[in-house]
Structure formats: C-alpha cells, structure tokens
Amino acid sequence: MTTDEDEDELYDADEDPYALALRFGSGPVYLRLVDGRRIRMPVHRWHDQPTVADKTVLERCAGPVLDVGCGPGRMCRALLSRGVFALGVDIAPRAVALTTALGGLALCRSVFDRLPAERGWQTLLLIDGNIGIGGDPHSLLRRCGGLIAPTGRLVVEVDPHDVEEVCTARFEDLHGQSGPLFPWARLGRRALHRVAEDLALSVTDQWTSGHRCFATLAHQESSSDCSDTESP
C-alpha cells in the first residue's frame, strides 16, 4: 500500500480534472457535454473495494482478463487477489501509476494500440461507461472482439436508459476547471444488441445489479443462448 506522502508524488497540480479525480478524496468530477449537460462520474466507486454490482462482473471473468480503461485498477486488483490474471490498460499515466502502486498490473496505452496477447484474452472488460471510449462503439467493439480468444467474451456495462448517442465532452470539476475535449458515446442495451449483430457478436448474457446494467458478448460461432437475469 502507498502512504499519503507516496500518493502525493503520483500527481501534479496542473493536471486536468480527470487526472486529479484519480486521487482518492478529491472532489467530484463531471462529464460536461458540449450541449451543456453534465453527468457526475462515480469517482468514489473507482477507488473503493468492488461493489455488489462489480462482483457480478468479477464472477463472470475467466482469465486472462484485459480491463480496458482500468482507471485506478480496482477490478484488476480484485481479480489478481482471486488468483485470476488481469492486466489493465488506460491512456492516463496517473491511472496506470496508481494501479501499479497499489499492486495491480497496467500499461499506459490506448485499446487501439498494439497490445500483448492479441486474440488470447478470455475476458475483456468495458465497464464504468468505457463503451464510450473513442466516441464510436462500433469501432471499439470491433477492436475488442479482435483482442479476445475465439472462445472469449466481452463484458460490457451499458447505460441503464435506452440511449444511443455520440457526443463530444470534457471533464470538469466543481470549480468549472475543465480538461480537453474528447469524443464519447453512450449506449443502452437495445443499441448494444444492434451493434453486436453488425459485428457477428452475440449477446450471451445480460443482467442488472442495482441501477447498473451489463451484458456479455461472444463471437457468434462460440456463443450460447442469451439469458436475462437480475442480480442483487
């Protein structure tokens, strides 16, 4: 474990609100869309122990696991503690630094960069809104489908609302300080089904836990019948 003094060395006061939000105990951070809408990001969840909803994801993970957009690495570390090999990737250097400082494994790369063991991952995670990475879920899921093994699966968290939206956003803190603009997307369950079908992926499982919604995708030739469950 790192001390408060050690953790201070991982951060720079000039970093954007997302990087600063990676520091446990910092104020809230919002996703500010260009049309003015503001969505509060679950910063505390990124740093806490896995929630009940997170555990429904962990239970569906067969190793090796690739966590795309891992943030501070709570899922990677939880999987490693269960004896499941897991590697995180994140484009934020501070996310990767914090993950590794806390005992996880992570690389500072985009999911679209060359990654280790391509087509060898049994589980790939896209949770905490990370289906929005790059602002193009179709391209993202095509890339992720190419990273998993023929018998592998994608575990995706979708928006609880029936939404399919491509947008431009930036991170913003309580004081209005904001970071650079980036493309983002929001996808609900119905839209996920449509995109998956275009990519010859099948939705093999879908479930809710509290207010969060998840689905697993697999290559159609290796998929089984879809189930729909409610988790505690």
Side-chain angles (χ1 to χ4, degrees):
M1 294 291 291
T2 58
T3 65
D4 290 342
E5 182 177 343
D6 292 332
E7 192 172 317
D8 285 341
E9 295 177 359
L10 297 174
Y11 298 91
D12 186 314
D14 293 328
E15 289 181 297
D16 67 39
Y18 171 68
L20 292 175
L22 294 173
R23 179 175 183 175
F24 185 74
S26 66
V29 65
Y30 300 88
L31 193 66
R32 173 71 78 174
L33 307 186
V34 291
D35 64 7
R37 285 176 292 159
R38 190 173 76 166
I39 302 169
R40 184 165 179 161
M41 304 302 288
V43 174
H44 290 292
R45 189 172 80 212
W46 300 342
H47 293 278
D48 285 345
Q49 293 299 311
T51 64
V52 170
D54 290 334
K55 289 176 182 177
T56 69
V57 172
L58 296 172
E59 290 162 0
R60 288 167 167 86
C61 288
V65 178
L66 183 67
D67 184 4
V68 174
C70 64
R74 78 183 188 284
M75 300 296 280
C76 296
R77 288 182 280 115
L79 287 164
L80 287 168
S81 73
R82 294 176 174 219
V84 178
F85 179 81
L87 175 70
V89 295
D90 203 295
I91 63 169
R94 298 308 177 191
V96 173
L98 185 53
T99 297
T100 56
L102 294 175
L105 301 172
L107 296 174
C108 189
R109 293 186 198 176
S110 163
V111 65
F112 295 102
D113 292 339
R114 182 72 180 172
L115 293 172
E118 298 207 6
R119 299 194 63 79
W121 299 96
Q122 283 298 325
T123 309
L124 185 147
L125 301 182
L126 280 172
I127 64 167
D128 295 325
N130 286 333
I131 187 64
I133 288 173
D136 184 351
H138 195 279
S139 293
L140 177 62
L141 288 174
R142 182 192 299 116
R143 169 58 173 157
C144 291
L147 288 169
I148 59 173
T151 57
R153 70 184 72 175
L154 311 178
V155 182
V156 181
E157 182 170 0
V158 294
D159 198 284
H161 304 102
D162 186 17
V163 62
E164 184 173 9
E165 177 182 20
V166 174
C167 52
T168 303
R170 66 175 78 213
F171 287 109
E172 180 181 279
D173 65 18
L174 268 179
H175 309 291
Q177 179 181 346
S178 59
L181 289 168
F182 56 87
W184 196 248
R186 298 170 62 214
L187 210 65
R189 184 176 287 175
R190 242 193 290 194
L192 179 69
H193 277 258
R194 289 195 297 272
V195 174
E197 184 63 28
D198 286 346
L199 296 171
L201 296 169
S202 293
V203 178
T204 59
D205 189 14
Q206 51 190 23
W207 70 99
T208 61
S209 181
H211 65 282
R212 297 172 67 190
C213 299
F214 305 91
T216 60
L217 309 179
H219 296 293
Q220 286 184 353
E221 60 271 19
S222 63
S223 64
S224 57
D225 291 339
C226 174
S227 62
D228 195 345
T229 60
E230 177 89 25
S231 296

